[in-house]
Amino acid sequence: MIIVMAHNASESDIAEVVRRLETAGFKTHLSRGVERTIIGAIGDKSRLAEIPLEALPGVEEVIPILQPYKMASRAFRAGRTVVQVGEDVAIGGEQVHVMAGPCAVESREQLLEAAARVKEAGATILRGGAFKPRTSPYAFQGLGTKGLELLAEAREKYGLKIVTEVMDIRSLPVVAEYADIVQIGARNMQNFDLLKEVGKIDKPVLLKRGPASTIEEWLMAAEYILSSGNMKVILCERGIRTFEPYTRNTLDLSSVPIVKHLSHLPVIVDPSHGIGRWQFIPAMCRAAIAAGADGLLVEVHPNPAEALCDGAQSLTPSLFAQTMAELEKVARAVGRKL
Ligand code: PEP
Ligand code: MN
């Protein structure tokens, strides 16, 4: 439920409501809007009888949250969540951030070349998988910790943030040590134990939509992270499986405005996995920004024909640079910056 405080509620009124809720076992979350403060409260509804909430000074209204996701719900926060990545990158603000780089970290040369080129083209975050979820156990599985070290080297050299995937709880400590944003891959969207663990770290989490997940299931997955204590969640649409075989997945761009309607969390789009074919990725990058996405995740490889993973959906650095120039115009047209 949310407790909307009156515009003239004092700090002590707010503190008293929080104290009463917490005494009754509720978890609270304060969000201060320009006009009003709202208090989000999660807990056992039957204990509400212990607190005469509506009678407490400064309380204007008590509103139940009807959706099964509570902390992810739009009602829970007065404004939109802006996820701060380090000091200089904010996801969900005016600037649209582009995360780009190879599907997998393959070698020092490959990664540093990719980093140099995506940085030059205007990306602010470098992507690259060190632990790779591959359909085949015989396919390249990633460089593991060595890949993380290479990402850190590229971050130092080019001043980029890094986003990389964590596949399970055992490797979470090392991934969280290196990554600026910890990615939960589509296949792990409902790995609830992993979600609870990333909910305990103090790093932004990029939560991909599962390939066969509804929007509600996706928001429930976010709820696991939020309710475990980590409010820095960035949602990522990456396509869902449909009956259309021409593309790798069907990129559900309608989820962008829908998620923004249902939730306060920022949402970005990954057209690379959504489509799986490089030719169509620039157009869907443009469409994603036009639809209101807060960022993009794009696979870029110095030499897609030689890529160990996802070459068919990787942009060359020069096509990426050309795409970024077009995206700048789209962002401006919809009141954003790139
Ligand atoms: C990835 O981004 O490298 C990846 C494996 O994506 P997804 O989890 O969306 O398939
Ligand atoms: Mn990939």
Side-chain angles (χ1 to χ4, degrees), residues 102-104 127 132 208 248 270 272-273 299 309-310 313:
C103 177
R127 66 146 289 144
K132 292 303 304 173
K208 287 200 160 192
R248 182 174 177 183
D270 167 0
S272 305
H273 294 87
E299 288 186 340
C309 183
D310 287 351
Q313 65 190 36

Short mmCIF file of all heavy atoms in Angstrom, two decimals, residues 102-104 127 132 208 248 270 272-273 299 309-310 313, ligand 2:
data_model
loop_
_atom_site.label_atom_id
_atom_site.label_comp_id
_atom_site.label_asym_id
_atom_site.label_seq_id
_atom_site.Cartn_x
_atom_site.Cartn_y
_atom_site.Cartn_z
N PRO A 102 30.92 -6.23 -27.79
CA PRO A 102 30.71 -7.58 -28.31
C PRO A 102 29.80 -8.41 -27.42
O PRO A 102 29.65 -8.13 -26.23
CB PRO A 102 32.12 -8.17 -28.32
CG PRO A 102 32.86 -7.42 -27.26
CD PRO A 102 32.28 -6.04 -27.25
N CYS A 103 29.22 -9.44 -28.02
CA CYS A 103 28.41 -10.38 -27.24
C CYS A 103 29.29 -10.94 -26.13
O CYS A 103 28.96 -10.86 -24.96
CB CYS A 103 27.91 -11.50 -28.16
SG CYS A 103 26.98 -12.74 -27.26
N ALA A 104 30.45 -11.49 -26.55
CA ALA A 104 31.37 -12.09 -25.58
C ALA A 104 32.74 -11.42 -25.66
O ALA A 104 33.18 -11.03 -26.75
CB ALA A 104 31.53 -13.58 -25.88
N ARG A 127 29.52 -3.18 -23.23
CA ARG A 127 28.98 -4.49 -22.88
C ARG A 127 29.97 -5.58 -23.29
O ARG A 127 30.80 -5.37 -24.18
CB ARG A 127 27.60 -4.75 -23.51
CG ARG A 127 27.56 -4.87 -25.02
CD ARG A 127 26.49 -5.89 -25.51
NE ARG A 127 26.89 -7.24 -25.18
CZ ARG A 127 26.05 -8.21 -24.82
NH1 ARG A 127 24.77 -7.99 -24.78
NH2 ARG A 127 26.52 -9.41 -24.54
N LYS A 132 29.11 -16.81 -20.36
CA LYS A 132 28.10 -16.81 -21.43
C LYS A 132 27.10 -17.95 -21.28
O LYS A 132 27.49 -19.11 -21.18
CB LYS A 132 28.80 -16.98 -22.79
CG LYS A 132 29.64 -15.81 -23.24
CD LYS A 132 28.88 -14.50 -23.31
CE LYS A 132 27.65 -14.51 -24.19
NZ LYS A 132 26.86 -13.27 -24.07
N LYS A 208 16.94 -8.53 -17.80
CA LYS A 208 16.38 -8.81 -19.12
C LYS A 208 15.05 -9.53 -19.01
O LYS A 208 14.84 -10.31 -18.07
CB LYS A 208 17.36 -9.64 -19.92
CG LYS A 208 18.55 -8.81 -20.39
CD LYS A 208 19.22 -9.49 -21.54
CE LYS A 208 20.05 -8.53 -22.33
NZ LYS A 208 20.45 -9.15 -23.60
N ARG A 248 15.14 -13.81 -34.82
CA ARG A 248 15.52 -14.71 -33.72
C ARG A 248 14.45 -14.70 -32.62
O ARG A 248 14.13 -15.73 -32.03
CB ARG A 248 16.88 -14.23 -33.16
CG ARG A 248 17.42 -15.08 -32.06
CD ARG A 248 18.83 -14.63 -31.66
NE ARG A 248 19.33 -15.41 -30.54
CZ ARG A 248 20.49 -15.23 -29.95
NH1 ARG A 248 21.32 -14.29 -30.39
NH2 ARG A 248 20.86 -15.97 -28.94
N ASP A 270 17.18 -4.04 -26.15
CA ASP A 270 18.27 -4.77 -26.79
C ASP A 270 17.75 -5.31 -28.14
O ASP A 270 17.21 -6.41 -28.20
CB ASP A 270 18.71 -5.92 -25.86
CG ASP A 270 19.63 -6.94 -26.54
OD1 ASP A 270 19.94 -6.80 -27.74
OD2 ASP A 270 20.03 -7.90 -25.85
N SER A 272 19.51 -6.30 -30.59
CA SER A 272 20.40 -7.32 -31.15
C SER A 272 19.82 -8.71 -30.92
O SER A 272 19.64 -9.48 -31.87
CB SER A 272 21.79 -7.21 -30.52
OG SER A 272 22.30 -5.90 -30.67
N HIS A 273 19.53 -9.05 -29.66
CA HIS A 273 18.94 -10.35 -29.38
C HIS A 273 17.48 -10.40 -29.82
O HIS A 273 16.96 -11.46 -30.13
CB HIS A 273 19.10 -10.72 -27.90
CG HIS A 273 20.54 -10.92 -27.52
ND1 HIS A 273 21.34 -9.88 -27.13
CD2 HIS A 273 21.34 -12.02 -27.57
CE1 HIS A 273 22.57 -10.33 -26.92
NE2 HIS A 273 22.60 -11.62 -27.18
N GLU A 299 24.95 -5.05 -29.76
CA GLU A 299 26.18 -5.81 -29.98
C GLU A 299 26.97 -5.24 -31.16
O GLU A 299 26.43 -5.07 -32.26
CB GLU A 299 25.84 -7.29 -30.19
CG GLU A 299 25.40 -7.90 -28.85
CD GLU A 299 25.16 -9.40 -28.85
OE1 GLU A 299 24.96 -9.98 -29.94
OE2 GLU A 299 25.18 -9.98 -27.76
N CYS A 309 30.57 -15.59 -31.03
CA CYS A 309 29.19 -15.61 -30.51
C CYS A 309 28.40 -14.48 -31.13
O CYS A 309 28.86 -13.33 -31.12
CB CYS A 309 29.30 -15.45 -28.98
SG CYS A 309 27.77 -15.54 -28.12
N ASP A 310 27.24 -14.79 -31.70
CA ASP A 310 26.30 -13.77 -32.18
C ASP A 310 26.83 -12.81 -33.25
O ASP A 310 26.42 -11.64 -33.30
CB ASP A 310 25.73 -12.97 -30.99
CG ASP A 310 24.72 -13.80 -30.18
OD1 ASP A 310 24.35 -14.90 -30.63
OD2 ASP A 310 24.31 -13.33 -29.11
N GLN A 313 24.28 -10.95 -35.58
CA GLN A 313 23.49 -9.82 -35.07
C GLN A 313 24.39 -8.67 -34.60
O GLN A 313 23.91 -7.73 -33.97
CB GLN A 313 22.57 -10.27 -33.93
CG GLN A 313 23.32 -10.75 -32.69
CD GLN A 313 22.41 -11.42 -31.68
OE1 GLN A 313 21.46 -12.12 -32.04
NE2 GLN A 313 22.65 -11.19 -30.40
MN MN B 2 24.73 -12.12 -27.60
#
